[in-house]
Amino acid sequence: MDDIDAMFSDMLQEMDLLTQSLGEEAESAPLPKPPTIPGPQEMNFSVGFTDFNASLHDLEDNDLDALMADLVADISATEEKFATEKDTLKGSAPVAPIPSQPPSNLSFPGSSSTLRQATSSNSIAATPPPPTSKPSKEELEEQIKADKIKLALEKLKEAKVKKLVVKVEIMDGSSKTLMVDERQTVRDVIDNLFEKTHCDCNVDWSVCETNPDLQTERGFEDHENLVEPLSTWTRDTENKVLFHEKKDKYEVFRNPQNFYMWKKDKKSLKDMKEKDKEQLLEENFCGASVIVPDLEGILYLKEDGKKSWKQRYFLLRASGLYYSPKGKTKASRDLVCLVQFDNVNVYYCKEYRIKYKAPTDHCFILKHSQIQKESQYIRYLCCDDEWTMTLWVTGIRIAKYGKQLYDNYKAAVRKAAGSATWASRSIQASSSASTPSPTPKARAANGHAPQPAVETKGSSNQTSFPPPPASMETLPPPPPDPMLPPPPPAPPSTNKVNQFPPPPQFPQSSFPPPPMDDLPPPPPPPPEDSELPPDFLPPPPPIFSSCGGEALPPPPPDPIASLPPPPALQNFASAGGAPPPPPPPPPPPAPAPAASKPAGSVRKVAPPPPKRTTPQLAAPSVG
Amino acid sequence: MAAWDLTVTVEDLGPDAPPLQISVTSDLHIGGVILKLVEQTNLKRDWSDHALWWEQKQQWLLRTGWTLDKCGVHADARLIFTPQHKPLRLGLPNGATLKMRACFSSPVFRTVMGICRVLNLRHPEELSLLRPVEEKKKKKDKDSSEELYDLTDVPLTAGSVQALYNGMPAHFADSPKTEAVYKMLSVSLPSPAPEAIAKLYRPASIVDKTHIHTRWLDSSRSLMQQGIQENDKLGLRFKYYTFHDMDPKYDAVRLTQLYEQARWAILLEDIDCTEEEMMLFGALQYHIGKQSLSQDMVSSCQGMDDLESALKSLEVKMVGDGNSTDMLDNMTAPELNDHLKIFRPKRLTLKGYKQYWCKFQETSISYYKSKEDRYGEPIQQLNLKGCEVAPDVNVAGQKFCIKLLIPAPEGMNEIYLRCENEKQYSQWMAACKLASKGLTLLDSSYQSEVQNIQTFLSMQRSSSAAPTSQTDESINTHSLVSPRYQKKYKPKQLTPRILEAYQNIAQLSLTSAILKFLQIWQALPDFGISYFMVRFKGSRKDEVLGIANNRLIRIDLGVGDVVKTWRYSNMRQWNVNWDIRQVAIEFDGNINIAFGCVNADCKVVHEYIGGYIFMSTRARQQSDTLNEELSEHKTATHREKKNIPEATNGGN
């Protein structure tokens, strides 16, 4: 116990030092100044901007508030969680000695739905359940200790979470900037964009990437992670992220017969009964293994290193794309495998007739997602017409993703149905600050934006949210907590039960050391630990893998000094949490007991929005 | 009423005993006949399983209440008094032969249900019995040497609830012998010798494949009626390729036998697959074989629970240690440090491998000019996340190379790492493999990955030295692929290919490896199609009709191309004209087809189509206890339904 406390106070001090230096640094280097050291971390901050600078400029205007909201939502979610936990701990502390109180109840009384994930993450602490009905002092200490460790681990993890600021172009030419963290799936991002753009939320909306070098476009699948592919873009990339409707995204689920019975006359398939369609889907997607459409036919394959295209008879199988060599039969044993789908994605191409002298403009390529330029490792294929191309690309997607695709579709349909009803409702009640989205996350985001997202897109937000830009320009040193009077600063090493507040707070202050390894992630955006249990063990791999090979570990002070963004974001956080924006009153009964800390440490107290639930999906991919 | 003498042979009196003559009248019921018969034998034993078999008419007299008159039995009838349950040699999907008692008097459908109950196979409606391929050369000595499992002592239980005892149904837990049988049923058998595969019958063409299906028994008639004698050999196979409600928890035997059937279908080229698929099947077989040796099915089913509890205990441990410096230590992933030779193929360069000091950390390799330079800047750092890793190994030639294809914006960087020896290779290879998936050396699968690679290498060593020896440790890779690939590749060439495929599946548990195998099998384009040689009405040539679980396929015999597909969902009705042995089917939109079967009984085709249609009506979710009653009920109605056309046609 003592050595832990000691360690935490060490960390605390270190953090104070850090924040101080950070503040100084920030003052001496006004924000818009570009970073002097171009580290790989830059990529972590911006995507879709010509350079880092631009991203910062961009941040200053219209989308800032939206980003702010995101960030604050993140932070406040965690804050709330811990606040509530503390509350409950506090509340139960006096009762604790009462013999009848089961220990497990004592430690995690907050089993309400919003807290469910939080409590589930406490399983570490719950594992050594004291058999006695009387929770002794030691047990409570155990408890505190466990909480602290848990919190520290969460913080560690959060520190490693990669976040990107992504500029997304929308069809009408406008663009949105939003922050995406590596745990979010494309589905989450789409949901986010729905809130921001007020489109009709139908299932065809997709996030796509374009590559001007290769003239390609690919719609991300809903279950994919957005950060990962984007972080492999080169620094000077002109790639873009688009948000638009793609009719072919889920066409196979609306009209499976066109894909699975493609050989038949299309007219005869036109009025297939819904029941038969369902059965087709059931047969092909709900069995033990997904059945891939039995596509076969002549496609043109670009020859390696040449500008000539050769006709080949291709066949699609679940295991890959094959062609039958000249003079051989179509029998399986004679087929030659062109490519298997484990490591490649399929991309639509534009204007390859000019670029590569393709026979038609209906081309698609198969390549590893990291390849960004022309390469011998790319397979170029050309189809006679657009429909054939759609057929093959869709078939390949089915072969690659299998049932996941169908699950994505079903989720999208549910979502679309849900948001349709919500949208109509929210129009009636547009004056209220409540949000059109049914997701708790959305409420979190909008709760902090003074102009609820219900108001039309874009610029209106700009005026509505002055504080953050201001704080950004002036760059004050990390402000002392203006919001709530700090509770009595408890000495770090306490064994007493009724001094409960400290436990959560120490881990929090212990935060700085970990991020030193991997500075880029904006400071203490508190963990949304909803995914903690799956992610927790084994903890090291996810953490380390998340920062990959990028500059690991840079000496702590340097990156801080050289990289303005962290301070900026930090200030968002503190500014957003503390001052004017009227946050909806926190639902929890007790005021969030703000963590009290020695001066200088950064503290964010934000009203507790409901927790974000979505990242859970992304969690496994981290590991 | 006049009394007359009825001649009955009682089998239990011995083969040479003369038939008994009993005096009966025409209004005596069958039960009475049996009673008289038993009295006359003067043998005290349990006669309850015995019944009268009417040889000339090939039928059982099972209704004890019926009079002789009603049954049509007259003085010229020669009846045999014989047990209804007789031993049968059952060829299982895994190739083993099991001797067990089966009912010879009930319809094959019920007989199969009884067999499956004993074997603990759920959903017996998916299986059926078929006559074995006639062996051209009958070698007596070979027959006797055949390993025979015996379950004849196990009584056929009527109860449907299978109590588990020692992880197996109670009736298997009786003796070591029966336990061995259960193990044979529920654990996949080791890979066969390549020669054994080559020796077995393989269908060479689609015509050959049509012959397989001529051998199915009629499921509505009894074994005796179909000329099956005591101790005859029959094959038990999954007949309908639609596997309902597969659950590893309850289906240990079913899953294993299905896997075996699939495996043999692949090995014997019953179903075609590409080379890449064959390598993956080979790798999975190797993996399943290895896993089966180390653990049995029951424990592997609990794998997930084990994993969870292991995680729990690790959590406890971490909390218990409490010491946070420990915790931080734990998070620093271990490294590999060694001298390796690196080669980067480039155009127009003749540079070969050059030695560097390499450090594997996290998911990347950094290499330095020498060990002394290791604290400085590396010459290059390669992040392996998302890269392709391929082995380039020749044990005999002591070549241990790892080929890395590292994706970069400009394309893929090709880099070869050359290791000194097996040990070094397996460590680095495992690390590369994990890193490509974004995992570090700290990952729990690292050690097993290293192990896997080592055992696989030892396999290559032994296969090049002594090709035929087959022990647990070393399997000839030839036994994992079909004869076509045995001919095409030497084991030396095959091993790296299978190893490559193996890398991707090495981490699967036994059950998931089996499921994966089945999944890939089921995803093959030709999966689940049963072929019949037919002649369509109005056509002059023989064609092939493929019957799958959702459609009928008309296939051109010459080219093998699909001519037409009809789906059951569009089917209005189908009829069989038993006089001219023609199946007529009507589809939506006034499409009518009719065909006669060339080499199979059209009853088989009729049953197949009816079977699939019945299978598709099985409810998606059935609780386990209800299951049997329900399916029994359904199959009963199903049979009735199927019998209708027969009955009406009989009247014609």
Side-chain angles (χ1 to χ4, degrees):
Chain A
M1 186 68 193
D2 281 341
D3 50 317
I4 271 202
D5 285 335
M7 188 195 76
F8 281 140
S9 34
D10 278 357
M11 286 179 160
L12 193 93
Q13 281 166 13
E14 226 167 316
M15 189 187 123
D16 290 347
L17 284 174
L18 262 178
T19 37
Q20 275 159 24
S21 68
L22 204 136
E24 288 161 21
E25 208 51 61
E27 271 169 314
S28 62
L31 219 235
K33 202 170 179 228
T36 44
I37 302 179
Q41 285 94 337
E42 270 177 35
M43 273 309 294
N44 294 351
F45 282 92
S46 61
V47 158
F49 300 99
T50 44
D51 62 19
F52 190 56
N53 228 345
S55 82
L56 285 176
H57 284 305
D58 225 83
L59 271 185
E60 279 172 306
D61 50 68
N62 63 333
D63 290 305
L64 184 65
D65 49 350
L67 271 181
M68 263 304 301
D70 274 359
L71 195 62
V72 170
D74 272 11
I75 293 163
S76 48
T78 333
E79 285 296 330
E80 180 229 19
K81 199 192 78 217
F82 287 114
T84 330
E85 263 179 26
K86 270 190 273 178
D87 269 0
T88 49
L89 282 175
K90 229 183 194 172
S92 56
V95 212
I98 295 170
S100 63
Q101 183 94 359
S104 57
N105 267 3
L106 163 76
S107 39
F108 314 110
S111 54
S112 71
S113 61
T114 46
L115 273 178
R116 206 176 28 168
Q117 282 153 331
T119 46
S120 70
S121 70
N122 285 350
S123 58
I124 324 164
T127 36
T132 55
S133 59
K134 277 190 195 179
S136 68
K137 219 176 190 180
E138 289 90 55
E139 279 160 359
L140 285 170
E141 281 165 18
E142 263 319 272
Q143 202 52 68
I144 299 165
K145 197 156 127 188
D147 284 348
K148 282 185 193 172
I149 292 170
K150 185 194 75 204
L151 200 70
L153 286 173
E154 277 169 28
K155 292 282 182 186
L156 273 174
K157 197 149 54 45
E158 179 67 22
K160 304 283 182 181
V161 170
K162 209 175 189 173
K163 290 198 167 82
L164 287 182
V165 175
V166 183
K167 186 167 151 190
V168 180
E169 277 190 19
I170 300 162
M171 273 222 278
D172 58 10
S174 65
S175 69
K176 292 277 167 207
T177 306
L178 70 160
M179 181 145 76
V180 184
D181 87 37
E182 64 177 341
R183 295 166 302 191
Q184 280 178 303
T185 61
V186 170
R187 182 74 243 167
D188 300 333
V189 175
I190 291 177
D191 291 346
N192 238 333
L193 284 163
F194 280 167
E195 282 157 28
K196 286 182 202 282
T197 60
H198 315 290
C199 56
D200 61 356
C201 300
N202 72 48
V203 296
D204 287 332
W205 284 97
S206 36
V207 176
C208 313
E209 61 169 328
T210 59
N211 180 326
D213 277 345
L214 289 168
Q215 300 173 9
T216 57
E217 176 174 331
R218 175 174 96 93
F220 292 110
E221 303 298 344
D222 285 357
H223 66 277
E224 277 184 273
N225 195 300
L226 192 57
V227 170
E228 209 176 294
L230 297 194
S231 8
T232 62
W233 286 4
T234 47
R235 263 195 72 207
D236 53 349
T237 187
E238 287 179 36
N239 292 7
K240 280 181 182 150
V241 179
L242 306 182
F243 181 58
H244 61 187
E245 285 173 275
K246 276 178 81 90
K247 281 286 168 234
D248 65 310
K249 187 181 185 187
Y250 289 128
E251 180 62 16
V252 65
F253 301 111
R254 279 189 296 256
N255 288 302
Q257 73 281 10
N258 291 341
F259 295 83
Y260 280 91
M261 299 158 83
W262 59 276
K263 280 177 199 160
K264 293 211 171 164
D265 180 26
K266 252 194 140 183
K267 267 182 222 149
S268 67
L269 296 174
K270 211 174 169 187
D271 29 57
M272 195 180 199
K273 281 175 261 161
E274 282 305 312
K275 201 188 76 193
D276 291 340
K277 290 183 188 177
E278 265 167 44
Q279 198 188 344
L280 258 184
L281 289 179
E282 167 108 12
E283 275 170 16
N284 292 298
F285 285 92
C286 303
S289 63
V290 167
I291 310 295
V292 172
D294 55 342
L295 300 179
E296 55 178 67
I298 289 174
L299 302 178
Y300 302 88
L301 173 68
K302 186 172 171 289
E303 289 182 82
D304 272 350
K306 294 185 204 156
K307 283 207 170 171
S308 60
W309 296 71
K310 206 173 187 176
Q311 282 195 9
R312 290 214 182 265
Y313 196 85
F314 278 92
L315 294 100
L316 179 69
R317 294 170 76 100
S319 58
L321 184 60
Y322 295 80
Y323 63 87
S324 77
K326 247 191 183 147
K328 296 267 190 169
T329 63
K330 292 193 305 181
S332 307
R333 54 179 174 273
D334 293 330
L335 297 181
V336 176
C337 185
L338 178 74
V339 65
Q340 297 189 292
F341 304 128
D342 305 324
N343 295 316
V344 298
N345 288 324
V346 58
Y347 299 76
Y348 285 108
C349 308
K350 277 191 196 111
E351 289 164 9
Y352 268 24
R353 241 191 336 208
I354 300 164
K355 190 175 168 76
Y356 291 122
K357 293 206 175 109
T360 75
D361 265 339
H362 311 293
C363 298
F364 64 91
I365 60 170
L366 289 154
K367 69 169 183 77
H368 197 290
S369 65
Q370 293 191 31
I371 298 178
Q372 302 288 324
K373 298 199 172 77
E374 202 177 316
S375 152
Q376 53 162 324
Y377 295 96
I378 300 179
R379 305 291 181 190
Y380 304 84
L381 289 147
C382 179
C383 313
D384 279 331
D385 52 57
E386 192 177 351
W387 170 243
T388 315
M389 177 172 68
T390 311
L391 210 54
W392 282 89
V393 171
T394 308
I396 291 169
R397 284 167 60 216
I398 294 170
K400 183 170 168 67
Y401 302 107
K403 188 155 191 305
Q404 181 72 56
L405 223 49
Y406 192 36
D407 294 341
N408 288 351
Y409 170 68
K410 285 189 284 191
V413 168
R414 272 199 302 275
K415 194 84 201 173
S419 36
T421 53
W422 273 94
S424 57
R425 254 186 245 172
S426 63
I427 287 165
Q428 296 161 0
S430 60
S431 60
S432 83
S434 75
T435 51
S437 161
T439 61
K441 185 181 146 206
R443 280 176 51 209
N446 283 347
H448 292 275
Q451 306 292 110
V454 182
E455 291 185 8
T456 47
K457 44 180 114 161
S459 53
S460 68
N461 284 350
Q462 195 177 349
T463 49
S464 62
F465 207 35
S471 70
M472 199 163 128
E473 278 150 23
T474 53
L475 268 183
D481 182 12
M483 181 84 156
L484 286 165
S493 54
T494 173
N495 292 339
K496 277 190 190 168
V497 180
N498 30 10
Q499 282 174 323
F500 245 94
Q505 135 209 4
F506 286 108
Q508 193 167 0
S509 55
S510 74
F511 175 69
M516 283 189 280
D517 290 348
D518 178 52
L519 218 255
E528 312 152 34
D529 62 332
S530 53
E531 79 285 34
L532 185 62
D535 212 18
F536 174 59
L537 274 173
I543 287 169
F544 282 94
S545 61
S546 70
C547 55
E550 296 167 7
L552 182 98
D558 264 358
I560 293 183
S562 58
L563 282 177
L569 290 168
Q570 198 164 15
N571 281 321
F572 291 171
S574 47
S596 82
K597 269 161 284 187
S601 68
V602 181
R603 215 164 17 248
K604 304 147 304 292
V605 175
K611 279 178 51 59
R612 183 177 289 201
T613 52
T614 35
Q616 198 147 20
L617 284 173
S621 69
V622 178
Chain B
M1 203 169 265
W4 44 276
D5 280 347
L6 179 65
T7 314
V8 181
T9 310
V10 179
E11 281 196 340
D12 296 65
L13 294 177
D16 300 329
L20 298 178
Q21 303 277 337
I22 50 171
S23 177
V24 295
T25 56
S26 288
D27 62 350
L28 182 65
H29 50 77
I30 302 292
V33 175
I34 292 175
L35 201 65
K36 280 194 168 191
L37 210 57
V38 169
E39 274 169 12
Q40 207 167 331
T41 57
N42 273 329
L43 285 174
K44 283 210 191 273
R45 64 166 65 186
D46 178 12
W47 295 99
S48 60
D49 190 44
H50 283 60
L52 288 168
W53 166 250
W54 190 356
E55 184 83 59
Q56 294 109 310
K57 288 250 175 138
Q58 289 283 302
Q59 74 181 51
W60 288 91
L61 304 175
L62 292 172
R63 297 184 191 241
T64 49
W66 282 23
T67 62
L68 287 172
D69 194 34
K70 197 173 180 184
C71 293
V73 176
H74 302 292
D76 58 345
R78 297 282 175 275
L79 300 186
I80 299 174
F81 192 52
T82 182
Q84 296 177 54
H85 288 87
K86 299 170 189 294
L88 189 67
R89 287 185 303 134
L90 215 53
L92 297 173
N94 63 4
T97 308
L98 176 68
K99 198 171 174 185
M100 67 179 292
R101 284 181 190 282
C103 182
F104 275 61
S105 64
S106 56
V108 164
F109 187 83
R110 295 210 160 263
T111 308
V112 172
M113 278 174 61
I115 291 170
C116 289
R117 196 177 299 133
V118 173
L119 302 186
N120 201 29
L121 270 161
R122 298 195 312 150
H123 296 289
E125 66 272 15
E126 290 162 5
L127 294 100
S128 193
L129 296 170
L130 79 175
R131 296 170 211 270
V133 196
E134 287 109 44
E135 287 162 51
K136 281 167 194 160
K137 301 163 208 165
K138 279 184 180 163
K139 290 179 192 163
K140 278 272 160 84
D141 57 331
K142 202 202 157 199
D143 252 23
S144 57
S145 67
E146 185 182 49
E147 195 178 1
L148 200 67
Y149 294 89
D150 198 339
L151 263 187
T152 43
D153 300 335
V154 172
L156 287 168
T157 48
S160 58
V161 181
Q162 298 279 1
L164 284 186
Y165 181 79
N166 268 354
M168 61 182 89
H171 56 268
F172 282 112
D174 286 346
S175 68
K177 199 175 84 176
T178 50
E179 274 182 29
V181 172
Y182 187 73
K183 187 158 182 280
M184 175 275 291
L185 288 169
S186 60
V187 180
S188 73
L189 298 182
S191 297
E195 301 78 31
I197 303 173
K199 229 182 273 172
L200 285 167
Y201 169 78
R202 299 194 300 281
S205 65
I206 198 159
V207 179
D208 287 353
K209 287 180 192 170
T210 64
H211 286 289
I212 300 171
H213 300 284
T214 62
R215 308 194 318 253
W216 291 108
L217 294 184
D218 183 340
S219 67
S220 58
R221 296 196 298 151
S222 69
L223 289 178
M224 281 289 262
Q225 282 173 313
Q226 303 185 55
I228 309 297
Q229 303 294 318
E230 188 172 328
N231 277 326
D232 272 1
K233 185 165 179 177
L234 287 178
L236 178 72
R237 294 285 184 279
F238 292 87
K239 181 179 179 184
Y240 300 102
Y241 293 92
T242 163
F243 312 110
H244 186 60
D245 180 30
M246 192 61 92
D247 186 345
K249 220 169 175 178
Y250 305 108
D251 286 329
V253 177
R254 187 166 167 232
L255 210 53
T256 309
Q257 295 304 320
L258 185 57
Y259 159 69
E260 290 281 354
Q261 185 166 334
R263 181 228 286 227
W264 282 103
I266 304 275
L267 288 180
L268 297 179
E269 292 159 20
D270 215 6
I271 181 167
D272 249 350
C273 64
T274 65
E275 198 170 311
E276 286 72 21
E277 286 156 357
M278 182 59 86
M279 297 307 146
L280 185 52
F281 282 128
L284 280 164
Q285 284 179 67
Y286 169 73
H287 187 63
I288 291 166
K290 201 159 69 74
Q291 296 272 312
S292 304
L293 283 176
S294 54
Q295 60 186 131
D296 60 331
M297 204 74 170
V298 187
S299 60
S300 71
C301 295
Q302 293 152 356
M304 274 319 289
D305 300 341
D306 290 350
L307 185 67
E308 263 167 53
S309 62
L311 285 177
K312 273 268 159 58
S313 67
L314 186 58
E315 274 179 44
V316 174
K317 207 176 131 211
M318 285 196 67
V319 174
D321 284 353
N323 196 328
S324 311
T325 49
D326 268 9
M327 208 157 66
L328 291 173
D329 281 348
N330 283 343
M331 287 174 189
T332 323
E335 303 171 357
L336 286 176
N337 286 295
D338 221 335
H339 281 292
L340 289 185
K341 287 184 178 145
I342 296 179
F343 169 53
R344 315 193 60 151
K346 277 183 195 137
R347 264 182 216 172
L348 306 171
T349 180
L350 293 170
K351 267 193 228 160
Y353 283 95
K354 205 175 160 198
Q355 181 160 301
Y356 294 96
W357 176 257
C358 298
K359 180 166 92 173
F360 202 116
Q361 197 183 28
E362 305 290 338
T363 59
S364 43
I365 295 176
S366 313
Y367 62 91
Y368 306 84
K369 206 167 177 189
S370 67
K371 192 176 178 180
E372 289 67 42
D373 293 341
R374 68 182 182 275
Y375 297 112
E377 279 286 302
I379 295 171
Q380 202 188 3
Q381 191 179 30
L382 314 163
N383 189 358
L384 303 190
K385 208 168 163 186
C387 79
E388 287 175 37
V389 187
D392 182 9
V393 178
N394 184 343
V395 179
Q398 285 295 298
K399 179 186 173 196
F400 300 102
C401 291
I402 303 169
K403 182 186 173 190
L404 299 172
L405 270 179
I406 303 170
E410 305 77 33
M412 307 290 256
N413 289 324
E414 205 174 331
I415 291 165
Y416 287 82
L417 304 178
R418 183 165 192 151
C419 304
E420 280 302 305
N421 51 43
E422 264 175 57
K423 183 166 172 278
Q424 195 185 40
Y425 169 79
S426 49
Q427 284 175 347
W428 284 78
M429 185 67 185
C432 289
K433 206 64 214 178
L434 288 182
S436 73
K437 292 178 209 144
L439 303 173
T440 66
L441 297 172
L442 199 71
D443 196 81
S444 54
S445 61
Y446 175 67
Q447 280 311 325
S448 64
E449 192 87 39
V450 173
Q451 280 288 317
N452 283 335
I453 294 169
Q454 275 171 349
T455 48
F456 211 95
L457 287 178
S458 66
M459 183 169 123
Q460 194 185 6
R461 194 189 315 123
S462 54
S463 63
S464 52
T468 47
S469 75
Q470 194 193 335
T471 60
D472 294 350
E473 280 300 301
S474 66
I475 300 170
N476 188 335
T477 38
H478 263 177
S479 60
L480 302 173
V481 297
S482 72
R484 174 175 295 121
Y485 294 99
Q486 294 180 10
K487 278 185 215 129
K488 192 168 175 185
Y489 296 109
K490 294 179 183 134
K492 202 164 63 181
Q493 299 165 306
L494 208 51
T495 308
R497 301 272 327 254
I498 294 182
L499 182 63
E500 201 179 325
Y502 177 65
Q503 308 281 344
N504 296 320
I505 52 109
Q507 68 288 351
L508 294 180
S509 75
L510 176 57
T511 313
S512 31
I514 290 178
L515 289 173
K516 173 101 182 170
F517 190 101
L518 295 176
Q519 218 173 45
I520 303 171
W521 176 53
Q522 291 180 52
L524 293 176
D526 296 338
F527 164 80
I529 305 176
S530 311
Y531 299 99
F532 293 91
M533 186 95 81
V534 297
R535 184 167 293 186
F536 280 89
K537 197 176 166 185
S539 168
R540 284 160 160 228
K541 55 176 189 192
D542 289 345
E543 283 173 90
V544 174
L545 179 74
I547 302 181
N549 63 0
N550 56 357
R551 65 197 192 278
L552 297 174
I553 307 158
R554 183 173 182 172
I555 300 164
D556 185 291
L557 190 53
V559 199
D561 276 353
V562 172
V563 178
K564 190 104 183 98
T565 305
W566 301 280
R567 297 171 51 77
Y568 298 150
S569 53
N570 297 332
M571 195 191 273
R572 285 263 174 86
Q573 59 168 330
W574 87 102
N575 297 297
V576 182
N577 184 336
W578 296 102
D579 291 337
I580 57 168
R581 302 253 140 204
Q582 193 177 58
V583 182
I585 308 176
E586 187 195 338
F587 293 96
D588 285 347
N590 266 335
I591 301 164
N592 284 289
I593 58 166
F595 54 86
C597 298
V598 177
N599 54 9
D601 188 348
C602 76
K603 182 74 194 291
V604 181
V605 174
H606 167 63
E607 230 178 68
Y608 241 116
I609 298 173
Y612 273 131
I613 289 172
F614 158 67
M615 302 280 165
S616 66
T617 63
R618 289 185 292 187
R620 283 225 142 249
Q621 64 283 14
Q622 288 173 346
S623 82
D624 201 51
T625 45
L626 274 177
N627 217 334
E628 261 177 66
E629 285 168 38
L630 256 173
S631 67
E632 211 161 314
H633 173 75
K634 273 192 180 165
T635 49
T637 56
H638 157 65
R639 282 189 309 117
E640 272 160 34
K641 204 168 63 194
K642 277 205 318 192
N643 284 338
I644 292 168
E646 240 177 329
T648 52
N649 281 301
N652 290 343

